[in-house]
Amino acid sequence: MMEYKDGIRKIKFTIDSSLENVALVGTAVRKLCSMVSFSETEACDIEVSVVEAVNNAVKHAYMNEKGHEVNIIFTIHTDRLTIDICDTGKTMDKINFPVLKFDPKLLNSIPEKGMGFHIISSIMDQVEYRTIQNKNILSITRFFNTSDQKK
Amino acid sequence: MQVEDRKEGNVLVVKVLDKRLDAHVANDFINKMSGYISSGNSLFVLNVSEIDFIDSSGLGAIVTVLKRLGGKGDLVICGARDAVMRMFKLTRMNKVFDMFESEKDAINALSK
């Protein structure tokens, strides 16, 4: 679904809460990013961020249970792209942005999980999480010219 | 998840044929690699040259395989494309795994 209002373009995708659907969103996001001032490299990185966010909704908000909606709203502003990932599952208390501290030579210290938000926060300029009327919304934003806008 | 394998001396070369190593296929990947470990393999070259997308679950799955070796073997990576290499660097996994451009160099490194 696409809307156009006051110079802001908005595209909305809805998928069922299954990991097999996440690649569809990622591929669509990458194509859209390539069309709005992002380089191919940036588009690939933004795809990873969105995939991590949708994975998080499927795995943690819905606990891998199929049959729920995940909405992805892609909003193109004049200076930035914001992608909202929305679910109505379990709410996170807060976002943890883990610093990946580990000793590469110490096997037990190397993380197998918990790297998703590190990746998102490294790639995107702004990351916000809020819950409105039982809907959890993770908003991730990337400015078109990040040189002056980066956190 | 589709992979192909071949033995080069004591080294098992496993090439991932899928374009994506992500949360959807991570467990399948772990199971396949665990099968190779159970069959007595301990030195692995993982050829990721066909992969154009990896997420944190895919990276975590490779770490899981390394941990299942229990320090009694090794797993090195070859053929990482730019997008895949960026994720390894972003998560510092390039410090965990030795990474090679060519399969030959990766095999040689494990055969020493």
PDB file of all heavy atoms in Angstrom, chain B residues 3-17 29 33 36 41-49 74-79 102-108 110-111:
ATOM      1  N   VAL B   3      24.026 -27.258   0.655  1.00  0.00           N
ATOM      2  CA  VAL B   3      25.484 -27.124   0.725  1.00  0.00           C
ATOM      3  C   VAL B   3      26.098 -28.224  -0.135  1.00  0.00           C
ATOM      4  O   VAL B   3      25.446 -29.226  -0.434  1.00  0.00           O
ATOM      5  CB  VAL B   3      26.026 -27.251   2.177  1.00  0.00           C
ATOM      6  CG1 VAL B   3      25.463 -26.167   3.078  1.00  0.00           C
ATOM      7  CG2 VAL B   3      25.736 -28.631   2.756  1.00  0.00           C
ATOM      8  N   GLU B   4      27.335 -28.000  -0.529  1.00  0.00           N
ATOM      9  CA  GLU B   4      28.080 -29.103  -1.150  1.00  0.00           C
ATOM     10  C   GLU B   4      29.393 -29.245  -0.391  1.00  0.00           C
ATOM     11  O   GLU B   4      29.903 -28.273   0.176  1.00  0.00           O
ATOM     12  CB  GLU B   4      28.304 -28.867  -2.645  1.00  0.00           C
ATOM     13  CG  GLU B   4      29.197 -27.696  -2.981  1.00  0.00           C
ATOM     14  CD  GLU B   4      29.370 -27.527  -4.493  1.00  0.00           C
ATOM     15  OE1 GLU B   4      28.519 -28.004  -5.261  1.00  0.00           O
ATOM     16  OE2 GLU B   4      30.361 -26.889  -4.886  1.00  0.00           O
ATOM     17  N   ASP B   5      29.910 -30.459  -0.335  1.00  0.00           N
ATOM     18  CA  ASP B   5      31.135 -30.675   0.435  1.00  0.00           C
ATOM     19  C   ASP B   5      32.115 -31.528  -0.343  1.00  0.00           C
ATOM     20  O   ASP B   5      31.722 -32.307  -1.221  1.00  0.00           O
ATOM     21  CB  ASP B   5      30.805 -31.341   1.774  1.00  0.00           C
ATOM     22  CG  ASP B   5      30.144 -32.692   1.598  1.00  0.00           C
ATOM     23  OD1 ASP B   5      30.857 -33.679   1.348  1.00  0.00           O
ATOM     24  OD2 ASP B   5      28.901 -32.765   1.698  1.00  0.00           O
ATOM     25  N   ARG B   6      33.372 -31.363  -0.017  1.00  0.00           N
ATOM     26  CA  ARG B   6      34.406 -32.250  -0.576  1.00  0.00           C
ATOM     27  C   ARG B   6      35.578 -32.267   0.390  1.00  0.00           C
ATOM     28  O   ARG B   6      35.811 -31.309   1.144  1.00  0.00           O
ATOM     29  CB  ARG B   6      34.822 -31.802  -1.971  1.00  0.00           C
ATOM     30  CG  ARG B   6      35.695 -30.586  -2.023  1.00  0.00           C
ATOM     31  CD  ARG B   6      36.263 -30.365  -3.442  1.00  0.00           C
ATOM     32  NE  ARG B   6      37.442 -29.539  -3.402  1.00  0.00           N
ATOM     33  CZ  ARG B   6      37.409 -28.219  -3.326  1.00  0.00           C
ATOM     34  NH1 ARG B   6      36.273 -27.573  -3.266  1.00  0.00           N
ATOM     35  NH2 ARG B   6      38.558 -27.536  -3.300  1.00  0.00           N
ATOM     36  N   LYS B   7      36.283 -33.342   0.375  1.00  0.00           N
ATOM     37  CA  LYS B   7      37.410 -33.505   1.300  1.00  0.00           C
ATOM     38  C   LYS B   7      38.713 -33.172   0.573  1.00  0.00           C
ATOM     39  O   LYS B   7      38.932 -33.619  -0.566  1.00  0.00           O
ATOM     40  CB  LYS B   7      37.421 -34.960   1.786  1.00  0.00           C
ATOM     41  CG  LYS B   7      38.205 -35.178   3.042  1.00  0.00           C
ATOM     42  CD  LYS B   7      37.374 -34.967   4.288  1.00  0.00           C
ATOM     43  CE  LYS B   7      38.236 -35.250   5.520  1.00  0.00           C
ATOM     44  NZ  LYS B   7      37.534 -35.153   6.759  1.00  0.00           N
ATOM     45  N   GLU B   8      39.546 -32.375   1.217  1.00  0.00           N
ATOM     46  CA  GLU B   8      40.891 -32.074   0.712  1.00  0.00           C
ATOM     47  C   GLU B   8      41.861 -32.467   1.813  1.00  0.00           C
ATOM     48  O   GLU B   8      42.093 -31.691   2.745  1.00  0.00           O
ATOM     49  CB  GLU B   8      41.032 -30.574   0.402  1.00  0.00           C
ATOM     50  CG  GLU B   8      40.205 -30.071  -0.759  1.00  0.00           C
ATOM     51  CD  GLU B   8      40.915 -30.304  -2.097  1.00  0.00           C
ATOM     52  OE1 GLU B   8      42.126 -30.614  -2.110  1.00  0.00           O
ATOM     53  OE2 GLU B   8      40.229 -30.191  -3.138  1.00  0.00           O
ATOM     54  N   GLY B   9      42.385 -33.673   1.758  1.00  0.00           N
ATOM     55  CA  GLY B   9      43.219 -34.164   2.867  1.00  0.00           C
ATOM     56  C   GLY B   9      42.365 -34.298   4.111  1.00  0.00           C
ATOM     57  O   GLY B   9      41.305 -34.934   4.088  1.00  0.00           O
ATOM     58  N   ASN B  10      42.824 -33.623   5.193  1.00  0.00           N
ATOM     59  CA  ASN B  10      42.049 -33.668   6.443  1.00  0.00           C
ATOM     60  C   ASN B  10      41.001 -32.570   6.528  1.00  0.00           C
ATOM     61  O   ASN B  10      40.291 -32.463   7.526  1.00  0.00           O
ATOM     62  CB  ASN B  10      42.986 -33.527   7.658  1.00  0.00           C
ATOM     63  CG  ASN B  10      43.865 -34.757   7.816  1.00  0.00           C
ATOM     64  OD1 ASN B  10      43.450 -35.864   7.467  1.00  0.00           O
ATOM     65  ND2 ASN B  10      45.077 -34.553   8.324  1.00  0.00           N
ATOM     66  N   VAL B  11      40.949 -31.736   5.494  1.00  0.00           N
ATOM     67  CA  VAL B  11      40.077 -30.555   5.540  1.00  0.00           C
ATOM     68  C   VAL B  11      38.780 -30.839   4.780  1.00  0.00           C
ATOM     69  O   VAL B  11      38.807 -31.325   3.651  1.00  0.00           O
ATOM     70  CB  VAL B  11      40.799 -29.334   4.902  1.00  0.00           C
ATOM     71  CG1 VAL B  11      39.879 -28.122   4.882  1.00  0.00           C
ATOM     72  CG2 VAL B  11      42.098 -29.035   5.639  1.00  0.00           C
ATOM     73  N   LEU B  12      37.665 -30.518   5.422  1.00  0.00           N
ATOM     74  CA  LEU B  12      36.376 -30.624   4.726  1.00  0.00           C
ATOM     75  C   LEU B  12      35.983 -29.228   4.238  1.00  0.00           C
ATOM     76  O   LEU B  12      35.866 -28.290   5.043  1.00  0.00           O
ATOM     77  CB  LEU B  12      35.288 -31.176   5.647  1.00  0.00           C
ATOM     78  CG  LEU B  12      33.967 -31.468   4.920  1.00  0.00           C
ATOM     79  CD1 LEU B  12      34.109 -32.667   3.977  1.00  0.00           C
ATOM     80  CD2 LEU B  12      32.826 -31.726   5.897  1.00  0.00           C
ATOM     81  N   VAL B  13      35.814 -29.105   2.943  1.00  0.00           N
ATOM     82  CA  VAL B  13      35.379 -27.832   2.354  1.00  0.00           C
ATOM     83  C   VAL B  13      33.869 -27.898   2.196  1.00  0.00           C
ATOM     84  O   VAL B  13      33.340 -28.780   1.517  1.00  0.00           O
ATOM     85  CB  VAL B  13      36.049 -27.599   0.981  1.00  0.00           C
ATOM     86  CG1 VAL B  13      35.594 -26.264   0.397  1.00  0.00           C
ATOM     87  CG2 VAL B  13      37.572 -27.651   1.106  1.00  0.00           C
ATOM     88  N   VAL B  14      33.185 -26.965   2.847  1.00  0.00           N
ATOM     89  CA  VAL B  14      31.721 -26.909   2.762  1.00  0.00           C
ATOM     90  C   VAL B  14      31.342 -25.598   2.081  1.00  0.00           C
ATOM     91  O   VAL B  14      31.691 -24.518   2.568  1.00  0.00           O
ATOM     92  CB  VAL B  14      31.068 -26.981   4.159  1.00  0.00           C
ATOM     93  CG1 VAL B  14      29.547 -26.887   4.037  1.00  0.00           C
ATOM     94  CG2 VAL B  14      31.468 -28.263   4.877  1.00  0.00           C
ATOM     95  N   LYS B  15      30.659 -25.721   0.966  1.00  0.00           N
ATOM     96  CA  LYS B  15      30.230 -24.517   0.247  1.00  0.00           C
ATOM     97  C   LYS B  15      28.722 -24.358   0.412  1.00  0.00           C
ATOM     98  O   LYS B  15      27.952 -25.275   0.085  1.00  0.00           O
ATOM     99  CB  LYS B  15      30.583 -24.629  -1.234  1.00  0.00           C
ATOM    100  CG  LYS B  15      30.245 -23.373  -2.037  1.00  0.00           C
ATOM    101  CD  LYS B  15      30.741 -23.505  -3.464  1.00  0.00           C
ATOM    102  CE  LYS B  15      30.505 -22.209  -4.240  1.00  0.00           C
ATOM    103  NZ  LYS B  15      31.014 -22.313  -5.620  1.00  0.00           N
ATOM    104  N   VAL B  16      28.331 -23.199   0.935  1.00  0.00           N
ATOM    105  CA  VAL B  16      26.903 -22.903   1.076  1.00  0.00           C
ATOM    106  C   VAL B  16      26.389 -22.456  -0.291  1.00  0.00           C
ATOM    107  O   VAL B  16      26.936 -21.537  -0.896  1.00  0.00           O
ATOM    108  CB  VAL B  16      26.670 -21.793   2.130  1.00  0.00           C
ATOM    109  CG1 VAL B  16      25.185 -21.474   2.241  1.00  0.00           C
ATOM    110  CG2 VAL B  16      27.229 -22.209   3.480  1.00  0.00           C
ATOM    111  N   LEU B  17      25.342 -23.110  -0.758  1.00  0.00           N
ATOM    112  CA  LEU B  17      24.825 -22.795  -2.099  1.00  0.00           C
ATOM    113  C   LEU B  17      23.673 -21.792  -2.064  1.00  0.00           C
ATOM    114  O   LEU B  17      23.304 -21.243  -3.092  1.00  0.00           O
ATOM    115  CB  LEU B  17      24.383 -24.084  -2.797  1.00  0.00           C
ATOM    116  CG  LEU B  17      25.486 -25.140  -2.959  1.00  0.00           C
ATOM    117  CD1 LEU B  17      24.928 -26.397  -3.631  1.00  0.00           C
ATOM    118  CD2 LEU B  17      26.662 -24.603  -3.772  1.00  0.00           C
ATOM    119  N   PHE B  29      21.453 -24.943   9.046  1.00  0.00           N
ATOM    120  CA  PHE B  29      22.901 -24.864   8.839  1.00  0.00           C
ATOM    121  C   PHE B  29      23.647 -25.532  10.000  1.00  0.00           C
ATOM    122  O   PHE B  29      24.573 -26.331   9.781  1.00  0.00           O
ATOM    123  CB  PHE B  29      23.318 -23.386   8.701  1.00  0.00           C
ATOM    124  CG  PHE B  29      24.807 -23.170   8.676  1.00  0.00           C
ATOM    125  CD1 PHE B  29      25.540 -23.424   7.514  1.00  0.00           C
ATOM    126  CD2 PHE B  29      25.484 -22.737   9.802  1.00  0.00           C
ATOM    127  CE1 PHE B  29      26.924 -23.235   7.489  1.00  0.00           C
ATOM    128  CE2 PHE B  29      26.857 -22.548   9.790  1.00  0.00           C
ATOM    129  CZ  PHE B  29      27.578 -22.796   8.635  1.00  0.00           C
ATOM    130  N   MET B  33      26.113 -28.834   9.710  1.00  0.00           N
ATOM    131  CA  MET B  33      27.520 -28.769  10.119  1.00  0.00           C
ATOM    132  C   MET B  33      27.782 -29.706  11.304  1.00  0.00           C
ATOM    133  O   MET B  33      28.845 -30.337  11.378  1.00  0.00           O
ATOM    134  CB  MET B  33      27.894 -27.320  10.478  1.00  0.00           C
ATOM    135  CG  MET B  33      27.842 -26.344   9.311  1.00  0.00           C
ATOM    136  SD  MET B  33      28.993 -26.746   7.961  1.00  0.00           S
ATOM    137  CE  MET B  33      30.569 -26.332   8.719  1.00  0.00           C
ATOM    138  N   TYR B  36      28.466 -33.104  10.076  1.00  0.00           N
ATOM    139  CA  TYR B  36      29.852 -33.294   9.615  1.00  0.00           C
ATOM    140  C   TYR B  36      30.790 -33.529  10.805  1.00  0.00           C
ATOM    141  O   TYR B  36      31.711 -34.346  10.735  1.00  0.00           O
ATOM    142  CB  TYR B  36      30.332 -32.061   8.836  1.00  0.00           C
ATOM    143  CG  TYR B  36      29.670 -31.840   7.495  1.00  0.00           C
ATOM    144  CD1 TYR B  36      29.131 -30.601   7.161  1.00  0.00           C
ATOM    145  CD2 TYR B  36      29.609 -32.858   6.546  1.00  0.00           C
ATOM    146  CE1 TYR B  36      28.539 -30.382   5.928  1.00  0.00           C
ATOM    147  CE2 TYR B  36      29.015 -32.647   5.314  1.00  0.00           C
ATOM    148  CZ  TYR B  36      28.477 -31.407   5.007  1.00  0.00           C
ATOM    149  OH  TYR B  36      27.901 -31.201   3.783  1.00  0.00           O
ATOM    150  N   ASN B  41      34.767 -35.055  11.281  1.00  0.00           N
ATOM    151  CA  ASN B  41      35.489 -33.920  10.692  1.00  0.00           C
ATOM    152  C   ASN B  41      35.751 -32.856  11.755  1.00  0.00           C
ATOM    153  O   ASN B  41      34.885 -32.587  12.597  1.00  0.00           O
ATOM    154  CB  ASN B  41      34.660 -33.307   9.560  1.00  0.00           C
ATOM    155  CG  ASN B  41      34.455 -34.261   8.410  1.00  0.00           C
ATOM    156  OD1 ASN B  41      35.380 -34.542   7.657  1.00  0.00           O
ATOM    157  ND2 ASN B  41      33.245 -34.806   8.289  1.00  0.00           N
ATOM    158  N   SER B  42      36.940 -32.249  11.685  1.00  0.00           N
ATOM    159  CA  SER B  42      37.250 -31.202  12.660  1.00  0.00           C
ATOM    160  C   SER B  42      37.907 -29.974  12.032  1.00  0.00           C
ATOM    161  O   SER B  42      38.055 -28.951  12.691  1.00  0.00           O
ATOM    162  CB  SER B  42      38.155 -31.752  13.775  1.00  0.00           C
ATOM    163  OG  SER B  42      39.352 -32.245  13.211  1.00  0.00           O
ATOM    164  N   LEU B  43      38.312 -30.071  10.789  1.00  0.00           N
ATOM    165  CA  LEU B  43      38.911 -28.923  10.099  1.00  0.00           C
ATOM    166  C   LEU B  43      38.010 -28.532   8.930  1.00  0.00           C
ATOM    167  O   LEU B  43      37.793 -29.329   8.006  1.00  0.00           O
ATOM    168  CB  LEU B  43      40.317 -29.276   9.583  1.00  0.00           C
ATOM    169  CG  LEU B  43      41.365 -29.589  10.662  1.00  0.00           C
ATOM    170  CD1 LEU B  43      42.660 -30.080  10.018  1.00  0.00           C
ATOM    171  CD2 LEU B  43      41.644 -28.361  11.541  1.00  0.00           C
ATOM    172  N   PHE B  44      37.508 -27.313   8.991  1.00  0.00           N
ATOM    173  CA  PHE B  44      36.516 -26.888   8.000  1.00  0.00           C
ATOM    174  C   PHE B  44      36.937 -25.609   7.282  1.00  0.00           C
ATOM    175  O   PHE B  44      37.381 -24.653   7.918  1.00  0.00           O
ATOM    176  CB  PHE B  44      35.169 -26.586   8.676  1.00  0.00           C
ATOM    177  CG  PHE B  44      34.477 -27.800   9.214  1.00  0.00           C
ATOM    178  CD1 PHE B  44      34.701 -28.218  10.512  1.00  0.00           C
ATOM    179  CD2 PHE B  44      33.596 -28.524   8.424  1.00  0.00           C
ATOM    180  CE1 PHE B  44      34.056 -29.339  11.020  1.00  0.00           C
ATOM    181  CE2 PHE B  44      32.953 -29.642   8.922  1.00  0.00           C
ATOM    182  CZ  PHE B  44      33.179 -30.054  10.224  1.00  0.00           C
ATOM    183  N   VAL B  45      36.759 -25.619   5.983  1.00  0.00           N
ATOM    184  CA  VAL B  45      36.749 -24.376   5.215  1.00  0.00           C
ATOM    185  C   VAL B  45      35.293 -24.134   4.841  1.00  0.00           C
ATOM    186  O   VAL B  45      34.665 -24.990   4.187  1.00  0.00           O
ATOM    187  CB  VAL B  45      37.609 -24.475   3.929  1.00  0.00           C
ATOM    188  CG1 VAL B  45      37.357 -23.264   3.036  1.00  0.00           C
ATOM    189  CG2 VAL B  45      39.089 -24.574   4.282  1.00  0.00           C
ATOM    190  N   LEU B  46      34.766 -23.004   5.277  1.00  0.00           N
ATOM    191  CA  LEU B  46      33.388 -22.658   4.925  1.00  0.00           C
ATOM    192  C   LEU B  46      33.437 -21.649   3.780  1.00  0.00           C
ATOM    193  O   LEU B  46      33.862 -20.499   3.968  1.00  0.00           O
ATOM    194  CB  LEU B  46      32.664 -22.072   6.140  1.00  0.00           C
ATOM    195  CG  LEU B  46      31.182 -21.755   5.943  1.00  0.00           C
ATOM    196  CD1 LEU B  46      30.379 -23.041   5.686  1.00  0.00           C
ATOM    197  CD2 LEU B  46      30.613 -21.034   7.170  1.00  0.00           C
ATOM    198  N   ASN B  47      33.018 -22.093   2.616  1.00  0.00           N
ATOM    199  CA  ASN B  47      33.019 -21.226   1.436  1.00  0.00           C
ATOM    200  C   ASN B  47      31.667 -20.505   1.374  1.00  0.00           C
ATOM    201  O   ASN B  47      30.626 -21.133   1.173  1.00  0.00           O
ATOM    202  CB  ASN B  47      33.256 -22.076   0.179  1.00  0.00           C
ATOM    203  CG  ASN B  47      33.385 -21.231  -1.075  1.00  0.00           C
ATOM    204  OD1 ASN B  47      32.814 -20.146  -1.170  1.00  0.00           O
ATOM    205  ND2 ASN B  47      34.133 -21.729  -2.046  1.00  0.00           N
ATOM    206  N   VAL B  48      31.713 -19.182   1.552  1.00  0.00           N
ATOM    207  CA  VAL B  48      30.473 -18.393   1.597  1.00  0.00           C
ATOM    208  C   VAL B  48      30.321 -17.519   0.344  1.00  0.00           C
ATOM    209  O   VAL B  48      29.559 -16.552   0.356  1.00  0.00           O
ATOM    210  CB  VAL B  48      30.421 -17.514   2.877  1.00  0.00           C
ATOM    211  CG1 VAL B  48      30.395 -18.377   4.124  1.00  0.00           C
ATOM    212  CG2 VAL B  48      31.591 -16.535   2.929  1.00  0.00           C
ATOM    213  N   SER B  49      31.019 -17.887  -0.706  1.00  0.00           N
ATOM    214  CA  SER B  49      31.055 -17.017  -1.885  1.00  0.00           C
ATOM    215  C   SER B  49      29.701 -16.858  -2.587  1.00  0.00           C
ATOM    216  O   SER B  49      29.485 -15.891  -3.313  1.00  0.00           O
ATOM    217  CB  SER B  49      32.095 -17.522  -2.893  1.00  0.00           C
ATOM    218  OG  SER B  49      31.795 -18.844  -3.295  1.00  0.00           O
ATOM    219  N   ASP B  74      39.154 -26.516  13.764  1.00  0.00           N
ATOM    220  CA  ASP B  74      39.127 -25.112  13.347  1.00  0.00           C
ATOM    221  C   ASP B  74      38.164 -24.944  12.173  1.00  0.00           C
ATOM    222  O   ASP B  74      37.848 -25.908  11.464  1.00  0.00           O
ATOM    223  CB  ASP B  74      40.527 -24.637  12.946  1.00  0.00           C
ATOM    224  CG  ASP B  74      40.676 -23.129  13.064  1.00  0.00           C
ATOM    225  OD1 ASP B  74      39.677 -22.451  13.418  1.00  0.00           O
ATOM    226  OD2 ASP B  74      41.776 -22.619  12.814  1.00  0.00           O
ATOM    227  N   LEU B  75      37.691 -23.737  12.054  1.00  0.00           N
ATOM    228  CA  LEU B  75      36.802 -23.396  10.946  1.00  0.00           C
ATOM    229  C   LEU B  75      37.254 -22.050  10.413  1.00  0.00           C
ATOM    230  O   LEU B  75      37.354 -21.082  11.179  1.00  0.00           O
ATOM    231  CB  LEU B  75      35.354 -23.324  11.442  1.00  0.00           C
ATOM    232  CG  LEU B  75      34.238 -23.111  10.411  1.00  0.00           C
ATOM    233  CD1 LEU B  75      32.916 -23.638  10.951  1.00  0.00           C
ATOM    234  CD2 LEU B  75      34.070 -21.656  10.020  1.00  0.00           C
ATOM    235  N   VAL B  76      37.579 -22.004   9.134  1.00  0.00           N
ATOM    236  CA  VAL B  76      37.956 -20.737   8.515  1.00  0.00           C
ATOM    237  C   VAL B  76      36.959 -20.436   7.394  1.00  0.00           C
ATOM    238  O   VAL B  76      36.236 -21.320   6.927  1.00  0.00           O
ATOM    239  CB  VAL B  76      39.412 -20.769   7.985  1.00  0.00           C
ATOM    240  CG1 VAL B  76      40.390 -21.108   9.098  1.00  0.00           C
ATOM    241  CG2 VAL B  76      39.565 -21.735   6.813  1.00  0.00           C
ATOM    242  N   ILE B  77      36.955 -19.180   6.995  1.00  0.00           N
ATOM    243  CA  ILE B  77      35.967 -18.699   6.023  1.00  0.00           C
ATOM    244  C   ILE B  77      36.690 -18.302   4.746  1.00  0.00           C
ATOM    245  O   ILE B  77      37.773 -17.703   4.804  1.00  0.00           O
ATOM    246  CB  ILE B  77      35.234 -17.438   6.568  1.00  0.00           C
ATOM    247  CG1 ILE B  77      34.735 -17.655   7.997  1.00  0.00           C
ATOM    248  CG2 ILE B  77      34.129 -16.984   5.625  1.00  0.00           C
ATOM    249  CD1 ILE B  77      33.498 -18.435   8.156  1.00  0.00           C
ATOM    250  N   CYS B  78      36.071 -18.560   3.603  1.00  0.00           N
ATOM    251  CA  CYS B  78      36.643 -18.015   2.363  1.00  0.00           C
ATOM    252  C   CYS B  78      35.537 -17.489   1.449  1.00  0.00           C
ATOM    253  O   CYS B  78      34.378 -17.912   1.540  1.00  0.00           O
ATOM    254  CB  CYS B  78      37.496 -19.043   1.632  1.00  0.00           C
ATOM    255  SG  CYS B  78      36.572 -20.343   0.807  1.00  0.00           S
ATOM    256  N   GLY B  79      35.935 -16.541   0.617  1.00  0.00           N
ATOM    257  CA  GLY B  79      35.057 -16.060  -0.444  1.00  0.00           C
ATOM    258  C   GLY B  79      33.994 -15.067  -0.027  1.00  0.00           C
ATOM    259  O   GLY B  79      33.022 -14.871  -0.778  1.00  0.00           O
ATOM    260  N   SER B 102      40.493 -16.774  -1.256  1.00  0.00           N
ATOM    261  CA  SER B 102      40.368 -17.977  -2.095  1.00  0.00           C
ATOM    262  C   SER B 102      40.250 -19.230  -1.235  1.00  0.00           C
ATOM    263  O   SER B 102      40.773 -19.301  -0.123  1.00  0.00           O
ATOM    264  CB  SER B 102      41.568 -18.098  -3.030  1.00  0.00           C
ATOM    265  OG  SER B 102      42.696 -18.605  -2.339  1.00  0.00           O
ATOM    266  N   GLU B 103      39.579 -20.201  -1.813  1.00  0.00           N
ATOM    267  CA  GLU B 103      39.421 -21.503  -1.152  1.00  0.00           C
ATOM    268  C   GLU B 103      40.783 -22.178  -0.982  1.00  0.00           C
ATOM    269  O   GLU B 103      41.070 -22.785   0.045  1.00  0.00           O
ATOM    270  CB  GLU B 103      38.501 -22.358  -2.018  1.00  0.00           C
ATOM    271  CG  GLU B 103      37.846 -23.502  -1.302  1.00  0.00           C
ATOM    272  CD  GLU B 103      36.844 -24.213  -2.220  1.00  0.00           C
ATOM    273  OE1 GLU B 103      37.253 -25.119  -2.956  1.00  0.00           O
ATOM    274  OE2 GLU B 103      35.671 -23.834  -2.189  1.00  0.00           O
ATOM    275  N   LYS B 104      41.628 -21.998  -1.981  1.00  0.00           N
ATOM    276  CA  LYS B 104      42.952 -22.634  -1.964  1.00  0.00           C
ATOM    277  C   LYS B 104      43.760 -22.136  -0.767  1.00  0.00           C
ATOM    278  O   LYS B 104      44.383 -22.919  -0.037  1.00  0.00           O
ATOM    279  CB  LYS B 104      43.683 -22.325  -3.281  1.00  0.00           C
ATOM    280  CG  LYS B 104      45.004 -23.021  -3.424  1.00  0.00           C
ATOM    281  CD  LYS B 104      45.636 -22.633  -4.760  1.00  0.00           C
ATOM    282  CE  LYS B 104      47.068 -23.181  -4.836  1.00  0.00           C
ATOM    283  NZ  LYS B 104      47.792 -22.671  -5.998  1.00  0.00           N
ATOM    284  N   ASP B 105      43.767 -20.810  -0.564  1.00  0.00           N
ATOM    285  CA  ASP B 105      44.524 -20.247   0.560  1.00  0.00           C
ATOM    286  C   ASP B 105      43.962 -20.735   1.893  1.00  0.00           C
ATOM    287  O   ASP B 105      44.717 -20.999   2.840  1.00  0.00           O
ATOM    288  CB  ASP B 105      44.466 -18.706   0.524  1.00  0.00           C
ATOM    289  CG  ASP B 105      45.312 -18.133  -0.598  1.00  0.00           C
ATOM    290  OD1 ASP B 105      46.134 -18.890  -1.166  1.00  0.00           O
ATOM    291  OD2 ASP B 105      45.134 -16.947  -0.932  1.00  0.00           O
ATOM    292  N   ALA B 106      42.642 -20.861   1.947  1.00  0.00           N
ATOM    293  CA  ALA B 106      42.006 -21.329   3.187  1.00  0.00           C
ATOM    294  C   ALA B 106      42.395 -22.786   3.486  1.00  0.00           C
ATOM    295  O   ALA B 106      42.729 -23.124   4.628  1.00  0.00           O
ATOM    296  CB  ALA B 106      40.483 -21.202   3.065  1.00  0.00           C
ATOM    297  N   ILE B 107      42.390 -23.596   2.463  1.00  0.00           N
ATOM    298  CA  ILE B 107      42.775 -25.014   2.634  1.00  0.00           C
ATOM    299  C   ILE B 107      44.239 -25.100   3.062  1.00  0.00           C
ATOM    300  O   ILE B 107      44.586 -25.842   3.995  1.00  0.00           O
ATOM    301  CB  ILE B 107      42.532 -25.802   1.326  1.00  0.00           C
ATOM    302  CG1 ILE B 107      41.047 -25.878   1.022  1.00  0.00           C
ATOM    303  CG2 ILE B 107      43.131 -27.214   1.432  1.00  0.00           C
ATOM    304  CD1 ILE B 107      40.714 -26.359  -0.389  1.00  0.00           C
ATOM    305  N   ASN B 108      45.077 -24.327   2.396  1.00  0.00           N
ATOM    306  CA  ASN B 108      46.507 -24.342   2.732  1.00  0.00           C
ATOM    307  C   ASN B 108      46.752 -23.937   4.181  1.00  0.00           C
ATOM    308  O   ASN B 108      47.592 -24.515   4.866  1.00  0.00           O
ATOM    309  CB  ASN B 108      47.298 -23.409   1.803  1.00  0.00           C
ATOM    310  CG  ASN B 108      47.433 -23.983   0.413  1.00  0.00           C
ATOM    311  OD1 ASN B 108      47.262 -25.199   0.224  1.00  0.00           O
ATOM    312  ND2 ASN B 108      47.703 -23.141  -0.557  1.00  0.00           N
ATOM    313  N   LEU B 110      44.847 -24.367   6.736  1.00  0.00           N
ATOM    314  CA  LEU B 110      44.456 -25.443   7.664  1.00  0.00           C
ATOM    315  C   LEU B 110      45.324 -26.694   7.497  1.00  0.00           C
ATOM    316  O   LEU B 110      45.366 -27.543   8.389  1.00  0.00           O
ATOM    317  CB  LEU B 110      42.990 -25.829   7.450  1.00  0.00           C
ATOM    318  CG  LEU B 110      41.938 -24.874   7.997  1.00  0.00           C
ATOM    319  CD1 LEU B 110      40.544 -25.423   7.723  1.00  0.00           C
ATOM    320  CD2 LEU B 110      42.131 -24.625   9.478  1.00  0.00           C
ATOM    321  N   SER B 111      45.972 -26.796   6.366  1.00  0.00           N
ATOM    322  CA  SER B 111      46.760 -28.010   6.084  1.00  0.00           C
ATOM    323  C   SER B 111      48.163 -27.930   6.647  1.00  0.00           C
ATOM    324  O   SER B 111      48.893 -28.916   6.644  1.00  0.00           O
ATOM    325  CB  SER B 111      46.845 -28.238   4.573  1.00  0.00           C
ATOM    326  OG  SER B 111      45.537 -28.352   4.040  1.00  0.00           O
TER     327      SER B 111
END
